[in-house]
Amino acid sequence: MKVIDLGQEALQAQGLVMKRQATRIARRVAYFLVAAVFGLFALVSVHGVLWAFALDVLHFNALGSACSVLGLDLLFVIIFGLLGTRRVADPVEFEAKVRRDRKFIEFKQAVAISTLTGILFGPIGRFTGRKAAGGLRNIFMRR
């Protein structure tokens, strides 16, 4: 029964790892989508206002106004793009990976022990045991 329990524990830990990885990937995709949407809408809607603000209030020329608007847009695209490239695993996912690895090691050990026990107590083991006991009896018995 221990082998089955260890196998189930390892599979549960792997399921939690995969669930957390899917959540992390979905979060990254969402950050990339936010970056793309913001990039598109910023290019369309805010450019005119920022250009006019830089031209009239900051007294930039037309080229300086356009470059300042472009710089601000690129800043937001870089910020959200960097948020999307983060690959940091959260603590729950890390703990699940550690638990999965430990249970898998225990599972392999339990399978090895149960295989060895099956060989020793199975038909081959009984036959070999009888022959070994008979050999020891012959050595230590009086003739």
Side-chain angles (χ1 to χ4, degrees), residues 105-129:
I105 290 170
E106 286 181 33
F107 177 72
K108 287 195 301 188
Q109 290 172 349
V111 166
I113 289 172
S114 68
T115 303
L116 181 63
T117 326
I119 289 172
L120 290 177
F121 295 122
I124 296 173
R126 286 192 300 266
F127 174 76
T128 308

Short mmCIF file of all heavy atoms in Angstrom, two decimals, residues 105-129:
data_model
loop_
_atom_site.label_atom_id
_atom_site.label_comp_id
_atom_site.label_asym_id
_atom_site.label_seq_id
_atom_site.Cartn_x
_atom_site.Cartn_y
_atom_site.Cartn_z
N ILE A 105 11.35 10.15 -5.01
CA ILE A 105 12.49 9.38 -4.51
C ILE A 105 12.00 8.28 -3.57
O ILE A 105 12.45 7.12 -3.67
CB ILE A 105 13.50 10.32 -3.81
CG1 ILE A 105 14.20 11.19 -4.84
CG2 ILE A 105 14.52 9.52 -3.01
CD1 ILE A 105 15.03 12.30 -4.25
N GLU A 106 11.08 8.61 -2.66
CA GLU A 106 10.52 7.60 -1.77
C GLU A 106 9.79 6.52 -2.55
O GLU A 106 9.86 5.34 -2.22
CB GLU A 106 9.56 8.24 -0.76
CG GLU A 106 10.23 9.03 0.32
CD GLU A 106 9.21 9.62 1.29
OE1 GLU A 106 8.16 8.98 1.52
OE2 GLU A 106 9.47 10.71 1.80
N PHE A 107 9.08 6.92 -3.60
CA PHE A 107 8.35 5.97 -4.44
C PHE A 107 9.32 4.99 -5.11
O PHE A 107 9.08 3.79 -5.11
CB PHE A 107 7.55 6.75 -5.49
CG PHE A 107 6.82 5.88 -6.47
CD1 PHE A 107 5.70 5.16 -6.09
CD2 PHE A 107 7.26 5.78 -7.78
CE1 PHE A 107 5.03 4.37 -6.99
CE2 PHE A 107 6.60 4.98 -8.69
CZ PHE A 107 5.48 4.28 -8.29
N LYS A 108 10.42 5.51 -5.66
CA LYS A 108 11.39 4.64 -6.30
C LYS A 108 12.01 3.67 -5.29
O LYS A 108 12.22 2.50 -5.60
CB LYS A 108 12.49 5.46 -6.98
CG LYS A 108 12.03 6.15 -8.25
CD LYS A 108 13.16 6.64 -9.10
CE LYS A 108 14.05 7.62 -8.40
NZ LYS A 108 15.05 8.25 -9.28
N GLN A 109 12.30 4.16 -4.08
CA GLN A 109 12.86 3.29 -3.06
C GLN A 109 11.86 2.21 -2.64
O GLN A 109 12.23 1.05 -2.46
CB GLN A 109 13.29 4.11 -1.84
CG GLN A 109 14.50 4.97 -2.10
CD GLN A 109 14.79 5.90 -0.94
OE1 GLN A 109 14.00 6.05 -0.02
NE2 GLN A 109 15.95 6.55 -0.98
N ALA A 110 10.61 2.59 -2.50
CA ALA A 110 9.58 1.62 -2.11
C ALA A 110 9.38 0.57 -3.20
O ALA A 110 9.21 -0.62 -2.90
CB ALA A 110 8.27 2.33 -1.80
N VAL A 111 9.42 0.99 -4.46
CA VAL A 111 9.29 0.03 -5.55
C VAL A 111 10.47 -0.93 -5.56
O VAL A 111 10.32 -2.14 -5.73
CB VAL A 111 9.15 0.76 -6.91
CG1 VAL A 111 9.35 -0.19 -8.07
CG2 VAL A 111 7.80 1.43 -7.01
N ALA A 112 11.67 -0.39 -5.33
CA ALA A 112 12.86 -1.25 -5.29
C ALA A 112 12.78 -2.24 -4.15
O ALA A 112 13.10 -3.42 -4.32
CB ALA A 112 14.11 -0.39 -5.17
N ILE A 113 12.34 -1.77 -2.99
CA ILE A 113 12.23 -2.67 -1.83
C ILE A 113 11.16 -3.72 -2.07
O ILE A 113 11.35 -4.90 -1.76
CB ILE A 113 11.95 -1.86 -0.55
CG1 ILE A 113 13.20 -1.08 -0.16
CG2 ILE A 113 11.50 -2.76 0.59
CD1 ILE A 113 13.00 -0.11 0.98
N SER A 114 10.01 -3.32 -2.63
CA SER A 114 8.95 -4.31 -2.87
C SER A 114 9.37 -5.31 -3.94
O SER A 114 9.02 -6.49 -3.86
CB SER A 114 7.65 -3.60 -3.27
OG SER A 114 7.79 -3.00 -4.53
N THR A 115 10.15 -4.88 -4.92
CA THR A 115 10.65 -5.82 -5.93
C THR A 115 11.62 -6.81 -5.30
O THR A 115 11.55 -8.01 -5.55
CB THR A 115 11.33 -5.05 -7.06
OG1 THR A 115 10.41 -4.12 -7.61
CG2 THR A 115 11.81 -5.98 -8.15
N LEU A 116 12.52 -6.29 -4.48
CA LEU A 116 13.48 -7.15 -3.80
C LEU A 116 12.77 -8.13 -2.87
O LEU A 116 13.10 -9.32 -2.83
CB LEU A 116 14.48 -6.30 -3.01
CG LEU A 116 15.57 -7.05 -2.26
CD1 LEU A 116 16.45 -7.82 -3.24
CD2 LEU A 116 16.38 -6.10 -1.43
N THR A 117 11.77 -7.66 -2.14
CA THR A 117 11.01 -8.53 -1.24
C THR A 117 10.26 -9.58 -2.03
O THR A 117 10.17 -10.74 -1.61
CB THR A 117 10.01 -7.70 -0.42
OG1 THR A 117 10.53 -6.44 -0.13
CG2 THR A 117 9.68 -8.38 0.89
N GLY A 118 9.71 -9.20 -3.16
CA GLY A 118 9.01 -10.17 -4.00
C GLY A 118 9.94 -11.26 -4.50
O GLY A 118 9.56 -12.42 -4.58
N ILE A 119 11.17 -10.87 -4.83
CA ILE A 119 12.13 -11.87 -5.29
C ILE A 119 12.51 -12.81 -4.15
O ILE A 119 12.58 -14.02 -4.31
CB ILE A 119 13.37 -11.19 -5.89
CG1 ILE A 119 13.01 -10.53 -7.22
CG2 ILE A 119 14.51 -12.18 -6.09
CD1 ILE A 119 14.10 -9.67 -7.79
N LEU A 120 12.76 -12.21 -2.97
CA LEU A 120 13.21 -13.03 -1.84
C LEU A 120 12.13 -13.97 -1.33
O LEU A 120 12.40 -15.11 -0.96
CB LEU A 120 13.70 -12.13 -0.70
CG LEU A 120 15.01 -11.40 -0.95
CD1 LEU A 120 15.34 -10.51 0.23
CD2 LEU A 120 16.14 -12.38 -1.19
N PHE A 121 10.90 -13.50 -1.25
CA PHE A 121 9.82 -14.32 -0.69
C PHE A 121 8.99 -15.01 -1.75
O PHE A 121 8.07 -15.75 -1.42
CB PHE A 121 8.93 -13.46 0.21
CG PHE A 121 9.66 -12.95 1.42
CD1 PHE A 121 9.74 -11.59 1.66
CD2 PHE A 121 10.27 -13.82 2.29
CE1 PHE A 121 10.40 -11.12 2.78
CE2 PHE A 121 10.94 -13.36 3.40
CZ PHE A 121 11.02 -12.00 3.65
N GLY A 122 9.29 -14.78 -3.00
CA GLY A 122 8.56 -15.43 -4.08
C GLY A 122 9.08 -16.84 -4.31
O GLY A 122 9.91 -17.36 -3.57
N PRO A 123 8.62 -17.47 -5.39
CA PRO A 123 9.03 -18.85 -5.67
C PRO A 123 10.54 -18.98 -5.88
O PRO A 123 11.15 -19.94 -5.40
CB PRO A 123 8.29 -19.19 -6.96
CG PRO A 123 7.21 -18.19 -7.07
CD PRO A 123 7.62 -16.99 -6.30
N ILE A 124 11.14 -18.03 -6.55
CA ILE A 124 12.59 -18.10 -6.79
C ILE A 124 13.34 -17.96 -5.47
O ILE A 124 14.30 -18.69 -5.20
CB ILE A 124 13.03 -17.01 -7.79
CG1 ILE A 124 12.39 -17.26 -9.14
CG2 ILE A 124 14.54 -16.97 -7.92
CD1 ILE A 124 12.62 -16.15 -10.13
N GLY A 125 12.89 -17.05 -4.63
CA GLY A 125 13.53 -16.84 -3.34
C GLY A 125 13.38 -18.04 -2.43
O GLY A 125 14.31 -18.43 -1.71
N ARG A 126 12.21 -18.66 -2.44
CA ARG A 126 12.00 -19.84 -1.60
C ARG A 126 12.89 -20.99 -2.07
O ARG A 126 13.50 -21.69 -1.26
CB ARG A 126 10.53 -20.25 -1.62
CG ARG A 126 9.66 -19.32 -0.79
CD ARG A 126 8.28 -19.91 -0.58
NE ARG A 126 7.55 -20.18 -1.82
CZ ARG A 126 6.69 -19.34 -2.38
NH1 ARG A 126 6.42 -18.18 -1.81
NH2 ARG A 126 6.07 -19.66 -3.48
N PHE A 127 12.98 -21.16 -3.38
CA PHE A 127 13.83 -22.23 -3.92
C PHE A 127 15.29 -21.97 -3.55
O PHE A 127 15.99 -22.86 -3.06
CB PHE A 127 13.66 -22.30 -5.45
CG PHE A 127 14.59 -23.27 -6.10
CD1 PHE A 127 14.35 -24.64 -6.02
CD2 PHE A 127 15.70 -22.83 -6.79
CE1 PHE A 127 15.21 -25.54 -6.61
CE2 PHE A 127 16.56 -23.73 -7.38
CZ PHE A 127 16.32 -25.09 -7.31
N THR A 128 15.74 -20.75 -3.77
CA THR A 128 17.14 -20.41 -3.45
C THR A 128 17.38 -20.50 -1.96
O THR A 128 18.44 -20.97 -1.51
CB THR A 128 17.46 -18.98 -3.95
OG1 THR A 128 17.08 -18.89 -5.33
CG2 THR A 128 18.92 -18.66 -3.81
N GLY A 129 16.41 -20.08 -1.16
CA GLY A 129 16.55 -20.16 0.30
C GLY A 129 16.66 -21.60 0.78
O GLY A 129 17.46 -21.91 1.67
#
